[in-house]
């Protein structure tokens, strides 16, 4: 995709942008290698999934083996009927456990700290046949499946574990421009991907929507077309009936 974009004149510059500022009709983007001005900007900075406390090498090998997973919407069908653990007995964990229950009879909700589940949530989980383990997880072992040792000393074994510890949106640049974020700290765009500041658009996980590649690409297609048309409009190139 990069090669194809470059073939048509796109320049790919790999630099972390540390600040963005409005400069008259342009945006001034700063990285450690200097500043550049752009007429339009598409924010596609994504989100970071919070990880359980395990080192990077163990994390990577557990992901590669499918013992650790982050996206039930993406791959729950791969773990159909397996023994699944959900880590994070709060809002996100509850929703994901109920989602996964359609794929497996054996879903268990684990927690990293004392569970803060309300009675109404406990009822919903009990009705769905989801076991809730209240003793927090003290250690992980992904050498063969997903095993956890609890604070109470017990060890539980699963085929796979989904952390549901929430995400941190990469929204610093947007916040610095004064954009308002939604409850999940993501950005909110209109149906043409505009963010409410002239020349600024967004696509992908940084927006409040389903975090999927197909969604991000669809939003990017809409954004690219809007950017093109808005610039034509500003330049007086849009045909208007007389
Ligand atoms: C483990 C896992 C498995 C997944 N599996 C699937 C799947 O099977 N199918 C599916 O559809 N989706 C899957 N997803 C979701 C999918 O990855 C996302 O929906 C998709 O990547 C969103 O694309 P994006 O461009 O919005 O964000 P990202 O892919 O996260 O890209 C954002 C980019 O912006 C960069 N960035 C952030 N801040 C700055 C800055 N200040 N300056 C410069 N660059 C910056 C980041 O480094 C990153 O490269 C999965 C996600 C995870 C975590």
């Amino acid at each position: 995709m990069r090669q194809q974009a470059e073939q048509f004149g796109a320049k790919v510059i790999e630099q972390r942008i540390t600040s963005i500022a409005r400069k008259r009709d342009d945006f001034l983007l700063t990285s450690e290698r200097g500043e550049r001005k752009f007429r339009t900007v598409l924010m596609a900075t994504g989100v970071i999934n919070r990880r359980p406390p395990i080192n990077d090498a163990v994390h990577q090998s557990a992901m590669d083996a499918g013992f650790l997973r982050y996206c039930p919407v993406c791959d729950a069908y791969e773990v159909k009927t397996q023994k699944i653990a959900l880590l994070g007995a709060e809002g996100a964990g509850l929703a994901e456990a109920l989602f996964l229950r359609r794929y497996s009879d054996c879903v268990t909700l684990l927690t990293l700290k004392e569970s803060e589940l309300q009675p109404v949530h406990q009822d919903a989980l009990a009705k769905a046949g989801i076991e809730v383990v209240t003793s927090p997880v003290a250690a992980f072992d992904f050498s063969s499946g997903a095993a956890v040792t609890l604070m109470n000393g017990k060890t539980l074994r699963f085929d796979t574990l989904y952390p549901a510890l929430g995400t941190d949106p990469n929204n610093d640049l947007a916040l610095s421009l004064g954009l308002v974020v939604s409850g999940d700290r993501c950005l909110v765009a209109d149906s043409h991907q505009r963010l409410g500041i002239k020349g600024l658009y967004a696509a992908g996980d940084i927006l409040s929507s389903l975090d999927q590649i197909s969604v991000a690409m669809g939003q990017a297609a809409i954004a690219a077309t809007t950017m093109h048309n808005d610039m034509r409009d500003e330049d007086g190139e849009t045909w208007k009936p007389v």
Side-chain angles (χ1 to χ4, degrees), residues 2-223:
R2 177 181 296 216
Q3 274 171 6
Q4 193 190 17
E6 284 173 342
Q7 199 182 322
F8 290 97
K11 264 193 201 155
V12 180
I13 304 171
E14 286 192 42
Q15 284 172 32
R16 176 152 287 273
I17 302 303
T18 50
S19 79
I20 181 169
R22 204 81 172 105
K23 268 270 168 340
R24 291 198 192 87
D25 280 344
D26 291 325
F27 293 95
L28 187 69
L29 269 61
T30 308
S31 74
E32 60 183 20
R33 288 203 235 146
E35 297 176 339
R36 287 174 79 100
K37 267 202 287 185
F38 296 92
R39 188 167 164 192
T40 57
V41 172
L42 173 70
M43 293 264 178
T45 46
V47 299
I48 309 274
N49 285 96
R50 293 194 198 129
R51 293 176 170 199
I54 47 178
N55 74 43
D56 285 350
V58 172
H59 187 271
Q60 190 58 54
S61 67
M63 292 259 299
D64 291 348
F67 300 152
L68 181 65
R69 296 165 180 267
Y70 280 88
C71 181
V73 174
C74 307
D75 56 23
Y77 59 88
E78 290 177 14
V79 295
K80 241 174 153 182
T81 72
Q82 289 191 7
K83 253 186 116 177
I84 303 171
L86 246 294
L87 179 68
E90 285 167 20
L94 174 85
E96 287 193 16
L98 293 170
F99 180 90
L100 279 161
R101 181 60 186 82
R102 297 276 287 205
Y103 293 86
S104 169
D105 291 342
C106 189
V107 177
T108 303
L109 194 55
L110 305 171
T111 176
L112 268 183
K113 48 185 187 187
E114 293 301 325
S115 172
E116 290 168 11
L117 284 177
Q118 314 275 324
V120 59
H121 297 149
Q122 286 166 2
D123 282 355
L125 290 162
K127 259 196 207 127
I130 294 169
E131 189 189 352
V132 180
V133 174
T134 51
S135 178
V137 175
F140 298 87
D141 175 5
F142 289 103
S143 47
S144 168
V148 294
T149 303
L150 306 175
M151 293 283 195
N152 65 12
K154 252 183 154 178
T155 295
L156 304 175
R157 291 179 196 285
F158 302 93
D159 295 313
T160 195
L161 180 144
Y162 283 87
L165 303 169
T167 56
D168 293 310
N170 294 317
N171 60 15
D172 298 4
L173 298 174
L175 290 177
S176 75
L177 288 170
L179 287 173
V180 176
V181 290
S182 60
D184 55 5
R185 295 176 295 122
C186 285
L187 306 183
V188 183
D190 72 9
S191 59
H192 294 275
Q193 309 305 133
R194 298 186 187 101
L195 285 175
I197 294 178
K198 193 176 137 224
L200 196 63
Y201 308 80
D205 290 3
I206 190 58
L207 287 172
S208 275
S209 62
L210 185 67
D211 290 354
Q212 289 281 277
I213 294 166
S214 50
V215 175
M217 294 187 79
Q219 291 168 339
I222 295 170

Side-chain angles (χ1 to χ4, degrees), residues 219-230:
Q219 291 168 339
I222 295 170
T225 308
T226 310
M227 290 159 94
H228 184 84
N229 286 339
D230 284 353

